[in-house]
Amino acid sequence: MTPAALPPLREVISRHGLAPHKSLGQNFLLDLNLTGRIARSAGSLEDHDVVEVGPGPGGLTRALLDAGARRVVAIERDHRCIAALNEISDAYPGRLNVVEGDALATDMERLVARPARIVANLPYNIATPLLVGWLQTEPWPAWFDSLTLMFQREVAERIVATPGGKAYGRLAVLAQWRTRPRILFDVDRRAFTPPPAVTSSVVELVPRAEPLAEANPRALERVVAAAFGQRRKMLRASLKSLGGDPLPLLEAAEIEPTRRAEELSVEAFCALSRAFAASR
């Protein structure tokens, strides 16, 4: 089979019985113009390996291959989708590696050659833990040189939020510490099968050569989680969940104890995480 001979996605879904499963966070993109736009948003893919998580019937997979990706590694948990993806593999010999398994438990770096990128319409139920895992990659700079990912609009807004707003929180700090994130465009819910309850957004995250400030990723995540876990409280109270008296940590980081989490910059959280790590 050649790329031109691949059947329409709706036919593929019908033939393989691929009704989307809510439990897997599946919302299939069937508009090939849209999947092509997402692939193009990732920049030139020639000479790049691309990791795709949750390809489903393979609409975005086709677009990534058509866009010239050197090789696509498609990680799919739903066994029903494997036969449909293998048909695409046959149409693009040697350029699609279909991996059946849980993306959260997959060593993706081992599956690609550099340079590599991650481009995906992420299953909504694992989108945030996947992103956090990628942001905590060690060593840094990471094995990928960009992330182009679909999220629910609310999650996208949290990734790019700035201090002082309600959307600013853990995701913003972790994402902006090591990457430069921006929302590229929104995707209407009607573009999906089945339509989700909300609008989605495509987000680009480009890794920084050097993080904004020195920090241990695990220590930073613990501090940020504690601070925003009780975001209405002052830091002198919310940081008690770390164990011990938070006042020495705040003093070491030169942060007023009466401030709240949403007021701190990414750099201030890094300073606080350094103080926390030094206290262990």
Side-chain angles (χ1 to χ4, degrees), residues 111-170:
L111 299 174
V112 298
R114 300 189 187 191
R117 292 179 178 166
I118 301 174
V119 186
N121 167 29
L122 295 175
Y124 286 154
N125 58 350
I126 60 170
T128 297
L130 275 173
L131 176 60
V132 170
W134 288 324
L135 294 172
Q136 292 180 331
T137 297
E138 292 290 354
W140 196 269
W143 54 269
F144 48 84
D145 61 33
S146 72
L147 301 159
T148 305
L149 306 171
M150 180 97 72
F151 296 96
Q152 293 181 353
R153 175 72 191 189
E154 177 188 355
V155 176
E157 290 174 343
R158 286 195 273 132
I159 292 170
V160 302
T162 55
K166 291 183 178 179
Y168 183 68
R170 169 175 169 259

Side-chain angles (χ1 to χ4, degrees), residues 70-242:
R70 177 176 61 199
R71 191 167 63 105
V72 174
V73 177
I75 303 170
E76 178 56 63
R77 182 180 176 185
D78 187 351
H79 179 72
R80 301 174 307 149
C81 297
I82 301 303
L85 293 168
N86 283 336
E87 290 178 2
I88 302 175
S89 181
D90 292 341
Y92 296 86
R95 295 180 56 206
L96 176 60
N97 178 17
V98 180
V99 178
E100 182 176 358
D102 182 353
L104 289 170
T106 301
D107 182 357
M108 300 178 193
E109 182 178 6
R110 181 180 57 83
L111 299 174
V112 298
R114 300 189 187 191
R117 292 179 178 166
I118 301 174
V119 186
N121 167 29
L122 295 175
Y124 286 154
N125 58 350
I126 60 170
T128 297
L130 275 173
L131 176 60
V132 170
W134 288 324
L135 294 172
Q136 292 180 331
T137 297
E138 292 290 354
W140 196 269
W143 54 269
F144 48 84
D145 61 33
S146 72
L147 301 159
T148 305
L149 306 171
M150 180 97 72
F151 296 96
Q152 293 181 353
R153 175 72 191 189
E154 177 188 355
V155 176
E157 290 174 343
R158 286 195 273 132
I159 292 170
V160 302
T162 55
K166 291 183 178 179
Y168 183 68
R170 169 175 169 259
L171 270 185
V173 174
L174 296 179
Q176 293 170 39
W177 171 51
R178 279 184 157 177
T179 74
R180 292 181 174 85
R182 63 187 180 116
I183 296 175
L184 298 181
F185 57 89
D186 291 339
V187 179
D188 191 280
R189 57 186 295 274
R190 293 170 294 183
F192 297 89
T193 299
V198 296
T199 297
S200 299
S201 299
V202 175
V203 179
E204 175 192 68
L205 300 99
V206 178
R208 300 177 186 271
E210 295 289 342
L212 277 179
E214 180 186 351
N216 175 282
R218 302 298 176 183
L220 179 61
E221 183 179 15
R222 284 194 62 186
V223 166
V224 171
F228 286 105
Q230 302 180 74
R231 64 185 299 147
R232 288 178 174 270
K233 292 187 176 181
M234 296 178 185
L235 291 168
R236 66 187 182 191
S238 62
L239 293 180
K240 287 182 179 179
S241 61
L242 291 173

